[in-house]
Amino acid sequence: MNSITPFPFSSRQKLGFHYFPDTLHYTEKDLQQWLPLLMDLGVGWLVLRTEINRAIPEYFIGGLLKAGIQPIVQFPISLQSPPDLKSISPLIEAYASWGATFHQFFDRPNIHQSWPANQWAQQDLVERFLDRYLPLAGLCIQADAYPLFPPLEPGGSFWDTTFLRAALQAIERRKLNMLLERLILSVYGWTFQRPLNWGEGGPERWPEARPYFTPPHSQDQRGFCTFDWYSAISEAVLQKKSPMILLQAGLPAAPETLQADSAKLPKIDENYVEILNLLSASSMPQTAAGSTGLILPEEIISVNFWLLSAEQDTNFSPFAWFEETQPARKAAFHLCAAKNIQTKRPLVHGILDEDSLRKAIRPLQHYLYLGENGEVNLASLLQKHSTFILQHLPTIGFSLDEARLANRITMAVTAEKVPADLLETLQKQGCQIDWLE
């Protein structure tokens, strides 16, 4: 079994959210209001919608990155009206230079609603899609960013697994090796009102499932475990398991197709909590799998829930996990309890000065990292480094995830004890790193 492509963000927290469903909440006040909560929740990813003619402000992107949160930028590009490459290239380059390097173009190219009516029925749909997608992906690669292969609708008007296989084969046939090295698959984590373990194991476990036909005693990819089917296709075509990002994890279907009252169905929160448990288990391999027996595969680098928040009295507000940073649904209360977060958080009023914002992004000044092994003799370590501790008064701990909240990190371990990619990530996030001999 081949492993996934080496990936510099594999150590990041996998928990993520879709931010507001609009582009109206990128002010300094929004950043100051939501960033402390995101940090307390341990969020590692945030899906952001951009406009085609105006960038998300650099301070908003920078604030997220300094807090260890990686943006996933969704461009409002459709197959109905593909953009001019010259007009969008500066936007791609700007985001990439700021550190927002994950870019999604297009959405569900395997359904007829995504295409102009006179183009859907023409031959070579996959090739025609790639003719639109590949130039944008090329711009990403030139900017040292990661182009996401757009999420497909499980099933769909054009069967999604067939579409994905044909697309990957075409990319490989065109010998676009640089793209294949950086390609990330985005996957909708919809349940279709089925158990979370529906389709688990992919085509190897359910070999009788075929495009457009699933026998009554079999299961297919139309469920939360779509990722197992896509991973099998990636491995069969590319001889490797491509990294994957889950979007809208745990929703029954596309949010625009759901009624507002269905957003509060208890089963949705039950699924959210189970997926949160899977995330917790994936970060601690010794932890048993959840009640479904599911285990998130290694190639999933991010799991994003719909929706962090939304304006009240809008179509999407029933799906919001938080309202004004306060939990608004059972899964949000569960997550806050798991993270020991007070559910009554003070609201932010006014604009914080630069020093206050810096402290919100990095609340710790200095962190002394003693290693990951919790079984060490703490007393002997404290005695060994007592002179340094008394002189500098650092926060002391065993977690690099906690250490990222500090402006300065002193490593009381040898260099081989810290993964090189994780060290590079800490430095890119602005942490000053030094070592104790």
Side-chain angles (χ1 to χ4, degrees):
M1 186 72 69
N2 294 318
S3 61
I4 64 172
T5 303
F7 192 70
F9 295 87
S10 58
S11 60
R12 183 182 300 276
Q13 291 286 342
K14 295 184 178 183
L15 173 64
F17 280 96
H18 294 255
Y19 191 52
F20 282 77
D22 52 47
T23 59
L24 305 176
H25 295 81
Y26 296 133
T27 67
E28 291 184 12
K29 183 177 180 180
D30 291 315
L31 180 65
Q32 294 156 17
Q33 180 178 22
W34 290 102
L35 189 59
L37 173 63
L38 294 171
M39 294 172 65
D40 287 347
L41 293 175
V43 171
W45 303 79
L46 198 64
V47 181
L48 307 175
R49 293 190 174 185
T50 185
E51 296 182 9
I52 201 68
N53 55 359
R54 184 178 64 175
I56 300 167
E58 183 178 3
Y59 61 76
F60 195 93
I61 298 289
L64 294 176
L65 290 169
K66 289 178 182 178
I69 301 170
Q70 179 63 45
I72 301 171
V73 181
Q74 291 183 324
F75 288 78
I77 295 173
S78 76
L79 293 164
Q80 303 277 353
S81 55
D84 176 60
L85 294 182
K86 291 183 180 180
S87 65
I88 196 173
S89 178
L91 195 58
I92 293 174
E93 292 175 358
Y95 283 136
S97 67
W98 300 341
T101 55
F102 290 77
H103 301 167
Q104 179 196 330
F105 309 105
F106 304 115
D107 178 55
R108 292 176 286 176
N110 67 318
I111 61 174
H112 67 83
Q113 295 93 329
S114 298
W115 291 81
N118 62 343
Q119 295 184 24
W120 168 256
Q122 298 177 14
Q123 292 183 344
D124 299 325
L125 183 74
V126 174
E127 295 288 345
R128 286 187 287 115
F129 164 70
L130 290 177
D131 288 342
R132 293 161 173 78
Y133 169 73
L134 292 177
L136 292 165
L139 291 177
C140 278
I141 294 172
Q142 292 175 17
D144 199 24
Y146 295 88
L148 273 62
F149 191 87
L152 305 173
E153 180 158 316
S157 313
F158 190 121
W159 202 253
D160 60 312
T161 53
T162 303
F163 190 103
L164 177 62
R165 182 181 296 273
L168 294 182
Q169 288 173 339
I171 294 173
E172 187 177 48
R173 185 174 64 250
R174 299 186 192 196
K175 301 187 182 303
L176 301 175
N177 295 330
M178 292 186 65
L179 172 59
L180 292 175
E181 289 176 0
R182 302 181 74 86
L183 185 66
I184 298 169
L185 303 181
S186 52
V187 185
Y188 279 129
W190 300 337
T191 66
F192 291 86
Q193 298 184 347
R194 290 165 169 158
L196 284 184
N197 58 0
W198 175 273
E200 179 190 9
E204 182 177 351
R205 182 176 178 184
W206 307 104
E208 296 183 13
R210 296 286 184 270
Y212 307 102
F213 175 71
T214 303
H217 60 277
S218 186
Q219 298 181 15
D220 58 23
Q221 83 284 7
R222 291 174 294 179
F224 177 70
C225 290
T226 303
F227 49 79
D228 278 346
W229 298 74
Y230 288 10
S231 184
I233 293 171
S234 173
E235 188 170 24
V237 176
L238 307 178
Q239 288 74 56
K240 68 176 184 180
K241 294 183 176 181
S242 299
M244 289 187 288
I245 289 176
L246 297 192
L247 303 174
Q248 300 178 3
L251 277 185
E256 66 269 16
T257 67
L258 299 174
Q259 299 295 324
D261 55 356
S262 68
K264 297 298 184 180
L265 291 176
K267 186 60 179 177
I268 295 182
D269 279 285
E270 291 174 12
N271 286 334
Y272 284 158
V273 170
E274 182 61 33
I275 296 170
L276 288 171
N277 292 337
L278 294 177
L279 279 171
S280 177
S282 69
S283 65
M284 297 180 291
Q286 71 276 13
T287 303
S291 60
T292 61
L294 274 176
I295 298 177
L296 287 178
E298 179 186 4
E299 56 266 29
I300 294 178
I301 60 173
S302 172
V303 177
N304 299 279
F305 293 99
W306 179 276
L307 183 69
L308 181 69
S309 192
E311 289 290 342
Q312 296 185 15
D313 300 323
T314 62
N315 291 338
F316 293 127
S317 61
F319 297 92
W321 283 49
F322 295 90
E323 294 178 0
E324 297 290 336
T325 73
Q326 308 299 329
R329 60 183 313 135
K330 291 183 179 180
F333 282 101
H334 172 88
L335 180 57
C336 287
K339 299 291 185 177
N340 294 318
I341 298 173
Q342 295 181 357
T343 55
K344 293 296 183 182
R345 304 173 61 86
L347 298 179
V348 174
H349 297 283
I351 301 299
L352 300 179
D353 57 32
E354 183 176 351
D355 184 60
S356 298
L357 180 57
R358 179 189 60 77
K359 290 180 180 179
I361 295 172
R362 294 206 181 284
L364 303 181
Q365 180 61 31
H366 190 183
Y367 191 95
L368 178 63
Y369 174 65
L370 299 178
E372 292 287 353
N373 188 355
E375 299 179 359
V376 298
N377 189 322
L378 181 59
S380 63
L381 275 178
L382 294 178
Q383 182 177 4
K384 178 180 178 180
H385 302 302
S386 59
T387 302
F388 181 90
I389 294 171
L390 291 173
Q391 181 178 354
H392 296 278
L393 301 177
T395 301
I396 303 170
F398 301 89
S399 168
L400 284 175
D401 186 54
E402 182 180 64
R404 68 182 173 82
L405 303 179
N407 290 304
R408 177 186 175 191
I409 305 173
T410 298
M411 303 288 188
V413 296
T414 55
E416 60 268 18
K417 298 291 186 180
V418 182
D421 58 344
L422 182 54
L423 182 63
E424 182 181 358
T425 297
L426 291 171
Q427 291 172 327
K428 285 183 177 180
Q429 292 173 4
C431 299
Q432 175 188 338
I433 309 293
D434 50 38
W435 303 80
L436 277 181
E437 295 182 356

